[in-house]
């Protein structure tokens, strides 16, 4: 049997070794993975108070809401009421998807102001622009105009102590009159006011390499959406770790690229949704 003296000597050697190889200490983490609530878009309007506790029980520590409006709040709950529901279930919402269509179309800042109000109540870090309609991106001029509007919103959000983020799909990588919206956004926005929520699935679907984007634009992608691609039908999602995207490699590079928030998103399911999100987070925890 090992005696106390030998144990302490060996422990000292191991500790010294760990200090020399700090990566070993973080090989596996208890990172608080989030869930984009769009997965439950059909159920939430009917019974938000039942769905949220089940998400917490599945192992998630964060959620990313969507669909807020001043009149309907978050699925019938005011921002204050929704915050309490999250608190009661040990959840936080560092980011949320908010519509800016009215502002982008008319320049009316009321939508931006209402968004800031809700985000502050929820204690959020990021206000995410989740989608741009085709009218905002069907020409080089339209893309230039919408980026100017995005910069205006980002400045106002930044003044309020928050930060804006842009969530991509695949259309940002299409060539429109010699320009790509993705490049235009990265090159014509203020790094102190706007970050990006990189949706890995849509990057791969567009034929791009997430690792190359991490390397080319270090620090710009503070949030990522993690959803896997069905091996037989790329148009469908599947549980993380069972599809065709190499998340073990991608996530291994994400932290050093500046990613802070890791958000699972799945838009379609072949199995029970709660079983699905449990499988995804189990895989993510397993690979650390």
């Amino acid at each position: 049997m090992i005696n106390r003296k030998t144990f302490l000597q060996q422990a000292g050697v191991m500790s010294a070794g760990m200090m020399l190889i700090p990566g070993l200490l973080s090989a596996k983490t208890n990172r608080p993975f989030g869930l984009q609530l769009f997965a439950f878009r059909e159920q939430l309007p009917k019974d938000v108070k039942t769905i949220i506790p089940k998400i917490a029980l599945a192992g998630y520590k964060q959620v990313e809401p969507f669909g807020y409006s001043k009149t309907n709040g978050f699925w019938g709950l005011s921002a204050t009421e929704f915050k309490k529901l999250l608190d009661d279930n040990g959840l936080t919402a560092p980011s949320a998807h908010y519509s800016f269509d009215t502002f982008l179309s008319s320049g009316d800042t009321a939508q931006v102001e209402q968004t800031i109000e809700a985000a502050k109540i929820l204690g959020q870090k990021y206000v995410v622009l989740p989608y741009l309609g085709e009218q905002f991106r069907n020409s080089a001029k339209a893309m230039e105009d919408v980026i100017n509007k995005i910069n205006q919103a980002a400045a106002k959000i930044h003044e309020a102590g928050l930060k804006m983020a842009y969530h991509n799909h695949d259309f940002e990588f299409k060539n429109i009159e010699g320009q790509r919206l993705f490049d235009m956004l990265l090159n014509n926005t203020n790094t102190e006011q706007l970050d990006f929520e990189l949706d890995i699935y849509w990057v791969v679907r567009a034929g791009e390499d997430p690792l190359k984007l991490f390397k080319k634009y270090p620090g710009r992608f503070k949030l990522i959406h993690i959803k896997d691609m069905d091996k037989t039908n790329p148009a469908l999602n599947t549980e993380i770790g069972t599809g065709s995207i190499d998340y073990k490699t991608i996530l291994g590079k994400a932290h050093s690229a500046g990613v802070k928030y890791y958000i699972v998103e799945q838009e379609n399911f072949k199995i029970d949704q709660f079983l699905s999100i449990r499988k995804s987070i189990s895989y993510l925890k397993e690979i650390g």
Side-chain angles (χ1 to χ4, degrees):
M1 289 181 64
I2 186 170
N3 60 40
R4 184 173 182 274
K5 181 179 179 181
T6 304
F7 171 78
L8 291 173
Q9 289 173 338
Q10 292 179 354
V13 171
M14 290 175 65
S15 296
M18 287 295 188
M19 291 179 70
L20 292 172
I21 313 174
L24 291 176
L25 294 172
S26 57
K28 291 215 171 186
T29 68
N30 292 318
R31 180 171 288 121
F33 293 104
L35 179 73
Q36 165 53 244
L37 294 179
F38 193 70
F40 295 94
R41 58 194 175 277
E42 295 179 4
Q43 297 92 336
L44 283 165
K46 302 172 186 176
D47 199 1
V48 60
K49 291 184 179 180
T50 297
I51 300 299
I52 294 300
K54 289 183 177 180
I55 291 170
L57 286 172
Y60 292 85
K61 299 297 182 184
Q62 299 172 348
V63 293
E64 186 175 61
F66 70 96
Y68 173 80
S69 71
K70 184 69 174 179
T71 54
N72 192 50
F74 293 98
W75 306 287
L77 298 180
S78 69
T80 301
E81 292 169 333
F82 187 65
K83 174 68 162 60
K84 185 178 186 308
L85 179 62
L86 296 182
D87 289 345
D88 290 346
N89 289 280
L91 294 168
T92 61
S95 61
H97 284 191
Y98 293 96
S99 172
F100 287 89
D101 282 358
T102 301
F103 169 73
L104 296 176
S105 298
S106 68
D108 183 355
T109 60
Q111 190 174 43
V112 179
E113 291 161 1
Q114 291 167 8
T115 293
I116 290 171
E117 179 185 20
K120 283 195 163 187
I121 290 171
L122 265 63
Q124 294 180 327
K125 305 288 186 183
Y126 282 96
V127 166
V128 183
L129 174 60
Y131 182 80
L132 283 176
E134 190 174 357
Q135 72 272 25
F136 299 120
R137 50 183 169 86
N138 56 12
S139 69
K141 178 64 165 57
M143 293 190 293
E144 289 174 7
D145 289 345
V146 80
I147 289 173
N148 287 334
K149 287 283 184 63
I150 289 172
N151 280 328
Q152 292 173 30
K156 196 170 186 65
I157 290 165
H158 186 257
E159 288 173 7
L162 304 167
K163 199 165 187 181
M164 193 174 187
Y166 182 90
H167 169 272
N168 69 279
H169 289 77
D170 59 347
F171 57 75
E172 288 88 354
F173 297 94
K174 293 180 179 178
N175 191 304
I176 305 293
E177 298 178 2
Q179 300 212 57
R180 302 195 315 172
L181 179 57
F182 193 78
D183 302 324
M184 293 175 70
L185 282 162
L186 279 159
N187 296 326
N188 296 282
T189 53
N190 188 324
T191 58
E192 293 185 1
Q193 297 178 356
L194 186 135
D195 287 324
F196 289 79
E197 181 174 67
L198 194 68
D199 189 302
I200 303 298
Y201 167 87
W202 284 115
V203 169
V204 174
R205 183 89 178 268
E208 300 288 328
D209 184 347
L211 296 177
K212 289 183 179 179
L213 293 179
F214 284 163
K215 187 175 182 179
K216 187 175 182 179
Y217 301 103
R220 290 308 302 268
F221 310 118
K222 292 296 194 301
L223 313 92
I224 59 171
H225 267 190
I226 307 169
K227 61 175 177 271
D228 217 337
M229 182 179 289
D230 188 272
K231 290 180 178 178
T232 58
N233 184 356
L236 297 179
N237 306 155
T238 189
E239 291 67 47
I240 313 301
T242 65
S244 59
I245 299 178
D246 181 9
Y247 272 110
K248 190 169 184 180
T249 298
I250 292 169
L251 296 181
K253 301 289 186 180
H255 180 72
S256 61
V259 175
K260 293 184 177 180
Y261 298 98
Y262 299 75
I263 304 157
V264 173
E265 182 182 44
Q266 189 162 336
E267 298 180 7
N268 42 73
F269 300 85
K270 291 181 179 179
I271 63 175
D272 176 79
Q273 287 157 282
F274 289 105
L275 176 59
S276 174
I277 66 171
R278 284 198 299 271
K279 283 191 171 187
S280 288
I281 196 170
S282 293
Y283 175 78
L284 291 171
K285 288 181 176 180
E286 179 184 333
I287 66 172

